Amino acid sequence: MRARTPKRPKLAVWKFASCDGCQLSLLDCEDELLAIAGKVEIANFLEASRAVVKGPYDLSLVEGSITTPHDAQRITQVRKASKFLVTIGACATAGGIQALRNFGHVREFLSVVYAKPEYIETLATSTAIAEHVKVDFELRGCPINKQQLVEVLSAFLKGRKPNVSSASVCIECKRRGTVCVMVAQGIPCLGPVTHAGCGAICPAYHRGCYGCFGPKEAANTASLSRQLTVLGVSEEQRQRLYRTFNANAEPFRTESAHA
Amino acid sequence: MHKTISVGALARVEGEGALLIKIKDRAVTDVQLKIYEPPRFFEAFLRGRDFTEAPDITARICGICPIAYQMSATHAMEDACGVTVDGQLRALRRLIYCGEWIESHALHIFFLHAPDFLGCEDAIQMAKAHPQIVERALRLKKAGNAIMSLIGGREIHPINVRVGGFYRVPTQAELGPLAEELKWARDAARETVAWVAKLSFPEFSQPYEYVALRHPDEYPFNEGRLVSNKGLDIAVSDFEQHVVEEQVPHSNALHAKLQARGSYHVGPMARYSLNFDKLSPIAQEAARSAGLGLTCNNPFQSIIVRAVEVLYACDEALRIIDAYEPPPKPFVPVEPRAATGFGCSEAPRGILYHRYQLDAEGHIVEAKIVPPTSQNQRMIEEDLRTFIPPRIDLPDDQLQWQCEQAIRNYDPCISCATHFLKLTVER
């Protein structure tokens, strides 16, 4: 058993329906990982460790969305055991890619994938953690940006608010000096309505933003939709653009219903 | 003696799983690798999506091996549309796959697997006793991620892979610093092979049927025929004629098996044993020095095989960078047609099979994805049935830890296995 140092806050990492990518971001902090491990006690992080320390936990990082009755129960237990709860990634903050079921019929989805669908226990929807319990901070992205994760952890350790921009991807494009792919090349781009955080990589790689950080605050999706129509994007294509990794986030969900 | 050993949540694997072992009168009566990862329905909601969207969407099946999904999907779509991607674009695909193998294998070797051999709960604990090893591990993993970031835009869910090639290709100047770090990584990988070879391995070996891709000229990433050491030799498009997935009453998951013979084993040990002759000389030499033969049948030694593959991937990445000239266009145009396409690539954990049926407009009509972990699951349970009896008198906690290790040998990725499901059979 490891010795516990009472001064180090206890960090727990939890997984719900997801691809594991956001918690992997923590292990991908190759330059910072050992420093982080020195500042906190990793008390529950199943992907990385067998050691499990009982709660309560000072900080819980929650990855994944709620898709089963059991998980809907489990998240309330995680909340009870956590002083601060931070959701990481598009699944936890918006229901993720698996929220595409919300626009169809889960029974029909089941029968396509499974030979004996009657054995599957699943909810008809995939929902964000904040729809079930109080969340203290949401970190966006599919996947999250690991520098932003380090910022959230540093802010927690210092007892301050995380300094995470709530601007749009457009602002990051300008900062990076990337010529607008939509204006210059007519490439459909969700940059104007998408939350910053990725560093505007897609336009820098000559493609339009596909919205993996979800909608920014007060996203003017109606205006973007008009522009997409001008560019010749069909209604069907437009719907698919909004319905990817953050399909159930309110502005994207509403706008996709108009298509 | 009548007891049940239950591991509520398996640690140091990707995704969520549990293990149940039932023992009666000193005999193993049941082994269940229980999977409670919720289903996410990728194959269902891919229907109706455009064929160009599959690489970005299927990448989200797994944050640990997104390139595997992007590669199997792009190749399947190009197969359907009758397009071949060649030359430097093909080489860049191998390069980004090298990045994924390096980062994923380094993660497994040092963070998920090695702590077992050293009696540690995790790599953080390991870092206290072996700081230099963990520092080397992190830098090696970072070298793999650097390839993913440069070629793909970011490490997890890269954005630059498209049907037909890439959105943007790197310049030679951009690859320069990558090559410098990879030279260090190649040395570090060689040292890693020597280090893991010195670990102590339980006596255990199984007469596996190994299945992997085999390509006439290269160690396999994206192309080849599916072969085994027991006579399988088929085109990728014949996969579903030979592999059946079935629901078995004692388990929570669909099990894949070869129709002709039953369980089979995919992953690094299968690739190595079927393709040793295609490894680069430096990787072959390191394998020999580590005491590996032309084949390896002890799954605990998969850690050595993974290290050999990391060395190969560093070497191959350097070869590709050295020969690189930017292609005239970052992609070849791909026009959809009504057809079915097949793709199979070598994810770090083994073969990942995709099949898509497209309509004339390029909409996906049907999708089928068989990830490596669902193929290995039956084999994992068989390993445990053989592994436990000689160890049956061990105290429960020790037996439990050893069984967990036997599962971790496979680097199972439960998030990947879209077909894993929760069965609630009453008896």
Side-chain angles (χ1 to χ4, degrees):
Chain A
M1 289 306 272
R2 69 170 77 186
R4 278 207 44 218
T5 318
K7 277 182 189 157
R8 286 190 305 162
K10 287 205 279 185
L11 172 72
V13 181
W14 308 97
K15 177 187 152 64
F16 291 81
S18 67
C19 79
D20 281 55
C22 291
Q23 53 179 316
L24 178 65
S25 297
L26 188 53
L27 299 176
D28 274 355
C29 293
E30 287 101 359
D31 295 332
E32 301 90 357
L33 185 65
L34 294 178
I36 293 168
K39 294 279 184 200
V40 298
E41 177 183 10
I42 297 176
N44 190 325
F45 187 5
L46 266 183
E47 187 177 71
S49 179
R50 289 182 88 239
V52 175
V53 180
K54 274 193 185 154
Y57 306 98
D58 296 289
L59 174 62
S60 276
L61 299 177
V62 178
E63 172 189 279
S65 65
I66 303 299
T67 62
T68 67
H70 175 252
D71 278 355
Q73 286 295 313
R74 190 161 62 98
I75 189 62
T76 63
Q77 300 304 315
V78 168
R79 176 68 262 189
K80 267 186 209 153
S82 313
K83 204 167 158 194
F84 282 94
L85 189 152
V86 172
T87 56
I88 54 170
C91 297
T93 58
I97 182 83
Q98 53 274 6
L100 288 177
R101 80 181 70 185
N102 302 7
F103 305 92
H105 297 284
V106 80
R107 288 281 132 207
E108 195 259 345
F109 275 30
L110 274 166
S111 66
V112 169
V113 182
Y114 296 104
K116 295 186 176 168
E118 63 274 23
Y119 295 140
I120 308 273
E121 202 175 73
T122 187
L123 294 171
T125 54
S126 169
T127 43
I129 301 298
E131 293 194 34
H132 298 265
V133 296
K134 178 177 172 281
V135 172
D136 297 301
F137 188 78
E138 291 185 319
L139 191 60
R140 314 289 198 87
C142 181
I144 55 168
N145 174 324
K146 66 183 183 185
Q147 271 80 43
Q148 289 196 333
L149 178 63
V150 171
E151 164 58 17
V152 167
L153 293 172
S154 310
F156 168 76
L157 287 167
K158 298 278 183 216
R160 60 172 174 79
K161 250 186 96 180
N163 180 15
V164 171
S165 168
S166 59
S168 70
V169 167
C170 281
I171 304 293
E172 294 191 306
C173 240
K174 303 294 169 285
R175 233 175 244 147
R176 195 171 173 145
T178 306
V179 174
C180 178
V181 294
M182 191 147 61
V183 171
Q185 295 171 65
I187 297 173
C189 180
L190 291 184
V193 297
T194 299
H195 200 284
C198 65
I201 23 181
C202 284
Y205 278 72
H206 305 166
R207 70 179 292 191
C209 164
Y210 59 76
C212 65
F213 272 63
K216 74 174 189 96
E217 261 175 58
N220 191 348
T221 48
S223 168
L224 179 67
S225 291
R226 279 195 299 277
Q227 182 59 25
L228 292 174
T229 308
V230 170
L231 294 175
V233 173
S234 70
E235 282 187 11
E236 182 206 309
Q237 283 173 292
R238 201 171 73 211
Q239 185 178 64
R240 287 204 311 265
L241 263 177
Y242 289 117
R243 287 186 185 170
T244 56
F245 313 110
N246 290 279
N248 204 46
E250 202 278 321
F252 285 4
R253 186 178 63 220
T254 312
E255 192 61 27
S256 75
H258 294 160
Chain B
M1 191 171 77
H2 198 125
K3 62 181 176 181
T4 303
I5 293 179
S6 170
V7 186
L10 287 164
R12 301 210 312 272
V13 298
E14 287 101 26
E16 299 192 299
L19 175 65
L20 182 75
I21 302 161
K22 286 185 184 165
I23 295 166
K24 193 177 174 185
D25 301 329
R26 305 191 76 252
V28 180
T29 56
D30 205 0
V31 172
Q32 292 180 23
L33 182 57
K34 294 162 83 85
I35 307 302
Y36 52 89
E37 177 83 25
R40 288 183 295 149
F41 305 116
F42 277 87
E43 287 155 319
F45 65 61
L46 278 163
R47 296 167 309 155
R49 304 297 297 214
D50 193 79
F51 77 112
T52 56
E53 295 177 273
D56 292 324
I57 290 179
T58 58
R60 267 67 186 183
I61 291 173
C62 183
I64 323 285
C65 59
I67 286 299
Y69 284 91
Q70 296 191 331
M71 289 299 128
S72 288
T74 51
H75 278 79
M77 294 308 177
E78 289 152 15
D79 181 46
C81 303
V83 167
T84 307
V85 173
D86 244 323
Q88 292 291 345
L89 290 174
R90 182 178 182 279
L92 282 174
R93 286 180 166 179
R94 283 183 71 81
L95 179 58
I96 196 166
Y97 225 142
C98 288
E100 180 153 291
W101 277 20
I102 296 168
E103 63 83 17
S104 174
H105 277 355
L107 177 75
H108 190 258
I109 292 168
F110 294 103
F111 284 79
L112 312 185
H113 212 190
D116 282 331
F117 294 96
L118 303 172
C120 299
E121 303 275 13
D122 54 45
I124 303 298
Q125 215 181 64
M126 210 170 95
K128 290 186 185 116
H130 309 272
Q132 285 155 334
I133 298 287
V134 174
E135 278 161 27
R136 185 171 70 200
L138 286 164
R139 187 169 163 191
L140 187 55
K141 183 164 155 299
K142 195 178 171 187
N145 273 333
I147 300 178
M148 303 269 285
S149 287
L150 176 65
I151 314 294
R154 63 183 168 200
E155 299 98 325
I156 299 167
H157 304 328
I159 51 90
N160 192 27
V161 171
R162 67 181 282 173
V163 178
F166 296 89
Y167 290 90
R168 180 174 94 74
V169 291
T171 62
Q172 275 159 316
E174 284 176 309
L175 292 175
L178 210 54
E180 285 311 305
E181 187 60 11
L182 280 166
K183 283 177 194 156
W184 174 88
R186 188 168 55 183
D187 290 339
R190 203 196 275 119
E191 287 166 30
T192 300
V193 177
W195 180 69
V196 293
K198 279 187 276 184
L199 300 172
S200 135
F201 301 98
E203 286 288 323
F204 183 70
S205 124
Q206 291 271 75
Y208 295 118
E209 175 152 15
Y210 284 131
V211 176
L213 285 173
R214 182 161 170 87
H215 186 274
D217 311 316
E218 300 160 328
Y219 202 70
F221 278 112
N222 288 312
E223 294 154 27
R225 286 175 70 78
L226 284 164
V227 302
S228 89
N229 52 333
K230 295 191 180 172
L232 186 79
D233 184 359
I234 57 169
V236 166
S237 54
D238 289 336
F239 179 87
E240 287 171 71
Q241 262 107 68
H242 294 266
V243 174
V244 288
E245 288 184 292
E246 58 181 19
Q247 250 169 310
V248 286
H250 72 269
S251 170
N252 294 20
L254 284 186
H255 282 199
K257 65 172 191 179
L258 283 172
Q259 206 151 24
R261 284 172 297 274
S263 310
Y264 61 102
H265 183 129
V266 304
M269 297 221 305
R271 279 194 295 264
Y272 175 88
S273 298
L274 293 163
N275 294 287
F276 179 86
D277 60 324
K278 300 294 184 229
L279 284 168
S280 57
I282 181 177
Q284 287 185 353
E285 178 51 38
R288 283 197 195 95
S289 307
L292 286 182
L294 296 178
T295 184
C296 171
N297 286 309
N298 182 344
F300 290 87
Q301 290 183 319
S302 62
I303 193 168
I304 314 178
V305 178
R306 277 191 191 89
V308 169
E309 285 199 338
V310 172
L311 175 57
Y312 171 76
C314 292
D315 202 33
E316 176 69 355
L318 280 164
R319 185 194 66 76
I320 293 166
I321 292 172
D322 195 44
Y324 181 68
E325 284 168 29
K329 280 197 72 180
F331 60 91
V332 292
V334 183
E335 288 303 320
R337 63 184 187 190
T340 298
F342 305 87
C344 185
S345 74
E346 286 283 357
R349 287 146 201 83
I351 51 171
L352 166 61
Y353 169 82
H354 287 214
R355 166 174 56 81
Y356 300 97
Q357 187 194 336
L358 305 182
D359 69 14
E361 284 77 47
H363 293 122
I364 298 169
V365 178
E366 197 189 338
K368 168 94 170 169
I369 297 169
V370 185
T373 293
S374 68
Q375 300 179 67
N376 274 337
Q377 204 219 344
R378 195 179 151 106
M379 202 71 253
I380 296 174
E381 290 185 354
E382 279 185 22
D383 273 9
L384 287 168
R385 282 197 191 90
T386 317
F387 182 74
I388 296 168
R391 296 163 178 85
I392 210 150
D393 295 322
L394 284 174
D396 281 5
D397 59 339
Q398 282 180 38
L399 182 60
Q400 180 193 320
W401 195 341
Q402 291 206 14
C403 289
E404 287 177 40
Q405 290 178 48
I407 295 171
R408 280 194 285 272
N409 287 336
Y410 285 81
D411 190 7
C413 184
I414 294 161
S415 298
C416 272
T418 50
H419 274 131
F420 280 168
L421 55 94
K422 187 176 173 74
L423 269 177
T424 45
V425 179
E426 297 289 329
R427 291 161 191 273

